[in-house]
Amino acid sequence: MILKGLKRNALKKSVESHIKTRKSRAKEVSNIRSLAVLIDASQSVNILSLVKLANELGVKSESLKVMGYKEDQKEITDDKDAAYYNDKSFGVGGSIKSNSLTQFINKDYDILINFYSESKLELDYVAAASKAKFKVGFAEIDNRINDLVIGSANQNTNLFISELKKYLKILQII
């Protein structure tokens, strides 16, 4: 219990640190070549709708990366559609122990979609630490993490997709 508290405290400090030092690079995105999606895998998320979104944005399926957080999972295994992480992917000091998670955070994606509507420290950490140029997420999440905040229900994927496309057109990204 003490170690878990230390880990959570280190992650909280790291989230705040990433938020404070982050500089928006949204102007660097003129078209979308790579797309990352961060999901809460404990909620039901239709991965096929995310692949459809990538296709509609002109992103090839091999340039789409989906990373999911599985809460309360002892063992996690990646599948063909997504990679996953859990609490055990972080060390006591908040360091990352998962190679796939480290690669996800360090890759310079054009857009990161934070597709979760309930704030969880492990999801917020990955979203804040990501090196993505442009970050999009739901209004229920800490708005300092995202460059574009969309207010729609997590269950209404189609509304989120249509709003996202509308704003990306306005911003002349697509």
Side-chain angles (χ1 to χ4, degrees):
M1 287 307 251
I2 292 173
L3 293 178
K4 190 173 184 176
L6 289 172
K7 184 189 303 186
R8 293 192 64 73
N9 194 31
L11 285 176
K12 282 180 192 176
K13 286 182 181 177
S14 188
V15 167
E16 288 300 320
S17 172
H18 284 296
I19 288 172
K20 286 179 184 172
T21 59
R22 182 173 188 273
K23 292 177 177 56
S24 179
R25 297 171 41 215
K27 293 177 182 158
E28 295 178 23
V29 181
S30 57
N31 64 351
I32 305 170
R33 290 181 302 281
S34 60
L35 177 68
V37 182
L38 180 62
I39 62 171
D40 183 352
S42 61
Q43 308 290 323
S44 68
V45 176
N46 185 351
I47 303 262
L48 291 176
S49 64
L50 299 175
V51 173
K52 178 183 156 200
L53 169 63
N55 290 335
E56 289 178 16
L57 295 176
V59 177
K60 296 178 179 152
S61 59
E62 54 271 3
S63 297
L64 169 68
K65 179 69 174 177
V66 178
M67 178 64 71
Y69 170 66
K70 289 188 173 183
E71 194 174 30
D72 301 329
Q73 292 281 141
K74 299 252 188 278
E75 295 294 322
I76 53 169
T77 54
D78 297 346
D79 58 34
K80 66 179 178 63
D81 296 324
Y84 298 97
Y85 70 102
N86 63 6
D87 298 337
K88 294 187 185 324
S89 301
F90 300 99
V92 176
S95 61
I96 301 170
K97 298 193 302 188
S98 164
N99 288 336
S100 62
L101 185 57
T102 302
Q103 290 171 357
F104 182 84
I105 289 172
N106 290 330
K107 183 148 188 213
D108 196 21
Y109 294 103
D110 290 323
I111 294 182
L112 169 65
I113 299 173
N114 296 311
F115 201 79
Y116 60 96
S117 61
E118 182 184 330
S119 187
K120 293 183 180 170
L121 185 57
E122 294 80 3
L123 287 164
D124 289 346
Y125 173 81
V126 174
S130 172
K131 306 250 187 297
K133 295 174 188 162
F134 189 71
K135 299 178 184 181
V136 180
F138 289 100
E140 293 85 6
I141 304 307
D142 187 343
N143 61 5
R144 300 174 301 161
I145 293 173
N146 298 309
D147 299 309
L148 175 64
V149 176
I150 297 177
S152 76
N154 192 19
Q155 292 77 21
N156 195 340
T157 307
N158 292 332
L159 177 62
F160 180 84
I161 290 171
S162 66
E163 289 294 304
L164 175 60
K165 289 189 333 189
K166 177 175 85 173
Y167 286 110
L168 290 177
K169 284 179 185 173
I170 290 169
L171 295 170
Q172 298 177 344
I173 294 174
I174 59 171

